[in-house]
Amino acid sequence: MRAKRHLILLVVVMITAAACAVQVWATDYYVDEANGSDSNSGASPASAWKTITHALIAVHGTQEDPATIHVAAGRYSQDTNGEQFPLVMTSYTTLKGESRSSTRIVAQGRQNQVVQCLAKEQVFIEGLTITGGNARGEGLPYSSGGGICCIDSSLMVSDCVVSNNRAAWTGGCIYVSGAKPVQIVDCQITGGS
């Protein structure tokens, strides 16, 4: 009888551990500013998070298990869904919009970069419009790269529009510094200071 209880307990522990592992190590996550909630799991479009800010804090990709954050069409800004800028990218993470014409990240000219990538590995940004950044902080990296500031990071930006961003120092739309590889592919970059 005692052995049977131990076996049942072991099975319950194994099922619970397996369920937790699936939730913790999931590769794909979802954000939807119109229908999401940051109290959701983010594990499916139906349980999407509301903000990219929350997703970037919650998601931890690894080299063995990189993460993709799928961003639904919409306008992501402080006024519409409570985004906080800069959006700080994490290593081994892809931020993927539905399309650059329908998925817009708008910083609204506030005193911050839109996206910041400092000493990160294998970061990918695709299918987004990134606009309204205003890097006006003190010194590097805070006064450079109003749209995207990339320092000592490996980054690929593809199929994006990066427009109408400003910087007090340099690189209004995109600022890159450091020896890591950075690729910008099929992007439209306009209107930067």
Side-chain angles (χ1 to χ4, degrees):
M1 189 70 153
R2 188 174 213 186
K4 190 175 182 180
R5 270 190 267 161
H6 286 294
L7 180 61
I8 292 170
L9 179 60
L10 178 63
V11 169
V12 169
V13 168
M14 289 174 60
I15 290 170
T16 303
C20 289
V22 168
Q23 292 173 358
V24 172
W25 300 109
T27 300
D28 292 296
Y29 300 91
Y30 299 85
V31 175
D32 184 336
E33 59 88 18
N35 302 305
S37 169
D38 285 344
S39 62
N40 287 344
S41 70
S44 72
S47 63
W49 290 314
K50 185 171 191 71
T51 64
I52 300 167
T53 304
H54 179 80
L56 288 169
I57 291 168
V59 169
H60 300 284
T62 65
Q63 188 171 9
E64 297 77 26
D65 187 21
T68 299
I69 300 169
H70 300 273
V71 184
R75 185 176 194 270
Y76 296 82
S77 71
Q78 187 173 7
D79 292 348
T80 57
N81 71 318
E83 291 296 351
Q84 299 297 309
F85 297 101
L87 298 174
V88 179
M89 296 301 297
T90 58
S91 292
Y92 309 107
T93 301
T94 298
L95 188 60
K96 183 176 184 177
E98 194 168 302
S99 78
R100 69 185 193 179
S101 62
S102 66
T103 311
R104 300 177 48 84
I105 301 174
V106 184
Q108 300 169 290
R110 292 190 165 86
Q111 299 286 80
N112 276 315
Q113 296 141 337
V114 182
V115 177
Q116 194 178 77
C117 190
L118 307 177
K120 303 300 179 199
E121 298 294 331
Q122 298 182 21
V123 175
F124 300 90
I125 299 171
E126 61 183 89
L128 297 166
T129 290
I130 297 170
T131 188
N134 189 8
R136 298 268 179 222
E138 293 294 322
L140 280 173
Y142 307 105
S143 60
S144 299
I148 299 172
C149 180
C150 176
I151 298 178
D152 295 325
S153 299
S154 58
L155 170 69
M156 175 182 260
V157 182
S158 65
D159 192 32
C160 287
V161 173
V162 185
S163 66
N164 300 318
N165 296 286
R166 301 177 125 354
W169 192 58
T170 188
C173 282
I174 299 177
Y175 176 79
V176 175
S177 175
K180 302 279 183 157
V182 173
Q183 297 179 11
I184 300 172
V185 180
D186 294 329
C187 291
Q188 178 182 347
I189 301 171
T190 62
S193 63

